[in-house]
Amino acid sequence: MNLWRFPLADAIAIHLVNAEKLQTDHPDSVAWCQASGFSGQAGSLCLVPEATGKIAKVLVGSPDSLDAWTLAALAKTLPVGTYALADTFSDSHATQLCLGWQLGSYTFDRYKLTKVGLLPTLEAPSNADLTYVKAAAEATYLVRDLVTTPANNMGPDQLEETARSLADRYEAKVTVIAGGDLVIENYPMIYAVGKASTRAPRLIDMNWGNPDDPKITLVGKGVCFDSGGLDIKSATGMQLMKKDMGGAAQVLGLAQMIMEIGLPIRLRVLVAAVENSIAGNALRPLDILTSRKGTTIEVGNTDAEGRLVLADALWEASSEDPDLMIDCATLTGAARVALGTDLPAFFCNDEQVTATLLKASQTTDDPLWNLPLYAAYRTMLNSPVADMNNIASGSYAGAITAALFLQEFIQPGIPWVHVDFMAYNVRSLPGRPEGGEAMGMRALFELIKQRIA
Ligand code: BES
Ligand code: ZN
Ligand code: ZN
């Protein structure tokens, strides 16, 4: 970590200021700040030197209300050295500020000959919860690494390896059903979507914790590359589709966070890992599949593959009657049209869970927006020849109809959250570099914590 637990004698002080505080608390530095164009504006930064030229202190423009991102840009912009916060903060602010610093220290340099060198270190305020910071940051790093790694090095086999190494680390159990065994074990839609790839489709099943604790099951869409299948995507539409396993990455990250902190739950993680490829044996438009549930699904579009693989995994998850089910998926472009790339949509069949998750998204600086499971749109999924179509008849409300499709595979009465998200920063923001990203993961962790409290 780029955070230090103990006081450092020579740490350089970081002061959060606004225009007013700059005048009142730092009168000797006002001239220097003016000369360097620093007025205390939120997000701006000024290094104030001693007479010798060494850095005396750092002034940082503070937003009106602090959040995790307030210091996040500093981790990459300050000169290498040790720093400490001059101000005191509430426990939650201290924790969030440290988390932002740590998330801002991330670099993806797997493919670079020249690696990023030393970074500045922050002396964490004594009231910051560094156990949480470490768990959340490491989980986020895992999600980012998995999503940013290109599809040639991140197939269903690598997702399996990731689950196995997590299982080794936290004494979990992993079983995998792959290739033709998916048909034998009745996961026909996972098989159908993934069969055209040279890399075998699989269902990864990880179990951890005490069987007597509340059962929480996470399900992830692990489409390691989404070409669209025979309903092939355009070049621009396909460009970012290495990230279509973002849901799998996020549930693996969330699982790591849960196991690292040791939440008293019985955790199950199901990852449907496939590649949506094109070959002579590929799934075709208007093929009819029989789902694990036993209902028939007409394939209106081979590019709506995520809901097919999730359906089989969700039905299996449902069969155990867990206390809470959460799925994460880069499921629809429509959710991005509605909310943009930074704001995940979530759907939920339980009002209390919805309220808790919305609150959690605020306290963790991890935004999520609630969209409705509007039942009247269910008829848009009707098929003339099968029990259901995998695409809606119209082009409106695509995120809702996708969620309604998934809901068909959740046994009534099981509280269920479906997250439809981008899993990718399309541009860099403080603490959130361009590339793969966990979105809503910390909020989901908080939801789980509160459900078992
Ligand atoms: N992986 C895509 C969804 C996606 C696209 C997420 C872009 C984020 C950004 C998914 O498999 C897909 O292709 N969905 C189609 C569904 C349509 C055929 C009903 C879509 O959203 O266009
Ligand atoms: Zn698709
Ligand atoms: Zn997809």
Side-chain angles (χ1 to χ4, degrees), residues 97-254:
L97 291 172
C98 286
L99 178 64
W101 180 282
Q102 193 57 32
L103 293 178
S105 304
Y106 174 85
T107 308
F108 183 82
D109 57 9
R110 173 170 172 178
Y111 297 91
K112 293 275 196 192
L113 189 59
T114 321
K115 309 290 185 195
V116 170
L118 277 180
L119 289 173
T121 300
L122 179 69
E123 180 191 315
S126 58
N127 60 338
D129 180 354
L130 285 196
T131 306
Y132 171 82
V133 170
K134 184 167 183 283
E138 280 185 356
T140 307
Y141 282 27
L142 173 68
V143 178
R144 290 174 176 178
D145 285 349
L146 292 173
V147 176
T148 308
T149 301
N152 59 325
N153 292 137
M154 185 50 60
D157 38 350
Q158 279 80 21
L159 284 181
E160 176 181 336
E161 257 173 50
T162 305
R164 288 196 188 281
S165 76
L166 277 181
D168 280 351
R169 186 162 154 195
Y170 296 105
E171 294 179 25
K173 279 211 172 73
V174 173
T175 56
V176 175
I177 301 168
D181 286 351
L182 287 166
V183 179
I184 297 167
E185 300 288 337
N186 193 26
Y187 292 95
M189 299 209 292
I190 298 179
Y191 178 74
V193 169
K195 67 185 173 178
S197 172
T198 51
R199 302 190 284 186
R202 63 205 73 193
L203 178 74
I204 304 161
D205 188 351
M206 182 165 78
N207 283 276
W208 174 88
N210 183 344
D212 299 331
D213 284 338
K215 283 189 198 170
I216 313 258
T217 301
L218 312 178
V219 178
K221 170 179 172 181
V223 176
C224 293
F225 191 79
D226 183 9
S227 68
L230 286 172
D231 287 310
I232 191 169
K233 288 182 181 290
S234 66
T236 39
M238 204 188 296
Q239 177 96 70
L240 264 183
M241 285 301 134
K242 67 172 181 181
K243 68 145 178 106
D244 214 21
M245 34 59 71
Q250 175 142 295
V251 297
L252 289 170
L254 180 52

Side-chain angles (χ1 to χ4, degrees), residues 42 52 56 64 154 220 268 300 363 422:
T52 60
D64 291 338
M154 185 50 60
R268 186 180 191 193
T363 56
M422 183 66 177

